[in-house]
Amino acid sequence: MAFLEAVGIGKGYGLKGNQLSVLKNINLKIKRKDFVSIIGPSGSGKTTLLYILGCLLKPTTGKVIFDGVEISRLSDKQLAKVRGEKMGFVFQQYNLIPSLTALENVGLTLRVNGKNKKQSEERGEELLGIVGLEKRFHHKPSELSGGEQQRVAIARALSNDPELILADEPTGNLDTKTGERILKVLKTLNKEGYTVIMITHDMNVAKHGKKIIKMRDGMIVN
């Protein structure tokens, strides 16, 4: 059984009869502990697909099965529970809170997930250590490089101990050398048992995955 499966996924916007199709009959299977790169040019539908796989959007047609559950049929409240308990998200823009330190940014997510202050700090320090930021606990985003901010974002994504990490252009705002460091972190996490799905438009980045899925015009082309 696939860990994550999309069956006949379609996504359209607009009124029936005058609908813009973003995704067209997407079928894919992802194994547990896999590292899948989804690559395509701007407008190919790759980010929309990631958001559907990550319970952030519902498909117009088809179904998504995650860990044996058809998540495309769940309510918004149920989807939020799946995201909060089983998925971690890494975005190109980092989405850190400027007024909080690295430790506080990670700890805030832990508090939301039910940890007390002491537990949040201890787990936050552990997670930032995993991504190599032991000496940057008390630095705010403006005091961190782009690569360091992205590593804080990865630590935050790990705060709920997810089964699946979804990364949307995680190296898109970084220079090549810094991007390589981020990819190394993702590959290390994958070796430790995390399933990773990464969106990119760069084949050199995509090659870091175990499997590459190519998209164009809303369809998988390989």
Side-chain angles (χ1 to χ4, degrees), residues 96-128:
L96 302 178
I97 299 174
S99 60
L100 300 183
T101 65
L103 186 58
E104 289 168 340
N105 264 284
V106 177
L108 180 63
T109 305
L110 288 160
R111 293 295 294 274
V112 169
N113 288 329
K115 303 291 186 182
N116 61 37
K117 184 176 180 181
K118 182 180 179 182
Q119 290 173 324
S120 297
E121 288 182 352
E122 290 177 349
R123 179 60 173 156
E125 289 177 356
E126 180 184 355
L127 292 170
L128 288 169

Side-chain angles (χ1 to χ4, degrees), residues 164-197:
L164 175 64
I165 298 173
L166 302 110
D168 188 7
E169 297 278 7
T171 63
N173 285 338
L174 306 173
D175 61 73
T176 302
K177 185 176 181 180
T178 305
E180 289 285 340
R181 290 175 182 163
I182 297 301
L183 291 167
K184 185 177 180 180
V185 171
L186 291 174
K187 289 170 76 172
T188 298
L189 292 172
N190 176 241
K191 288 178 181 177
E192 292 176 356
Y194 292 93
T195 305
V196 179
I197 303 175

Side-chain angles (χ1 to χ4, degrees), residues 18-222:
N18 188 29
Q19 199 171 66
L20 173 65
S21 294
V22 180
L23 296 177
K24 307 163 189 174
N25 193 35
I26 297 291
N27 295 283
L28 62 85
K29 293 182 179 182
I30 295 173
K31 299 176 181 178
R32 191 181 292 274
K33 299 182 181 180
D34 209 347
F35 188 153
V36 177
S37 299
I38 301 177
I39 185 171
S42 178
S44 62
K46 59 188 185 297
T47 295
T48 300
L49 176 59
L50 185 79
Y51 283 13
I52 289 174
L53 296 177
C55 300
L56 293 170
L57 285 176
K58 289 186 177 182
T60 305
T61 57
K63 60 184 179 180
V64 179
I65 302 168
F66 175 58
D67 203 14
V69 176
E70 187 178 338
I71 58 175
S72 46
R73 296 175 62 91
L74 299 181
S75 68
D76 289 344
K77 185 176 181 180
Q78 290 171 320
L79 288 173
K81 189 172 188 293
V82 172
R83 288 195 304 270
E85 293 180 355
K86 297 189 175 184
M87 297 180 178
F89 296 86
V90 181
F91 298 103
Q92 181 177 350
Q93 300 299 331
Y94 320 139
N95 295 338
L96 302 178
I97 299 174
S99 60
L100 300 183
T101 65
L103 186 58
E104 289 168 340
N105 264 284
V106 177
L108 180 63
T109 305
L110 288 160
R111 293 295 294 274
V112 169
N113 288 329
K115 303 291 186 182
N116 61 37
K117 184 176 180 181
K118 182 180 179 182
Q119 290 173 324
S120 297
E121 288 182 352
E122 290 177 349
R123 179 60 173 156
E125 289 177 356
E126 180 184 355
L127 292 170
L128 288 169
I130 288 173
V131 298
L133 292 177
E134 300 91 339
K135 298 180 180 179
R136 311 295 267 174
F137 290 164
H138 304 296
H139 289 69
K140 293 181 179 180
S142 61
E143 300 168 327
L144 300 171
S145 69
E148 288 171 335
Q149 290 183 61
Q150 189 61 290
R151 281 188 277 165
V152 174
I154 292 172
R156 181 184 57 193
L158 298 175
S159 64
N160 59 341
D161 196 22
E163 298 177 33
L164 175 64
I165 298 173
L166 302 110
D168 188 7
E169 297 278 7
T171 63
N173 285 338
L174 306 173
D175 61 73
T176 302
K177 185 176 181 180
T178 305
E180 289 285 340
R181 290 175 182 163
I182 297 301
L183 291 167
K184 185 177 180 180
V185 171
L186 291 174
K187 289 170 76 172
T188 298
L189 292 172
N190 176 241
K191 288 178 181 177
E192 292 176 356
Y194 292 93
T195 305
V196 179
I197 303 175
M198 178 177 66
I199 296 295
T200 183
H201 63 275
D202 186 339
M203 182 54 78
N204 289 324
V205 172
K207 288 178 180 177
H208 288 266
K210 295 176 180 176
K211 179 180 179 182
I212 298 175
I213 295 172
K214 296 179 182 178
M215 292 188 67
R216 185 176 294 276
D217 299 327
M219 297 181 287
I220 292 176
V221 294
N222 65 315

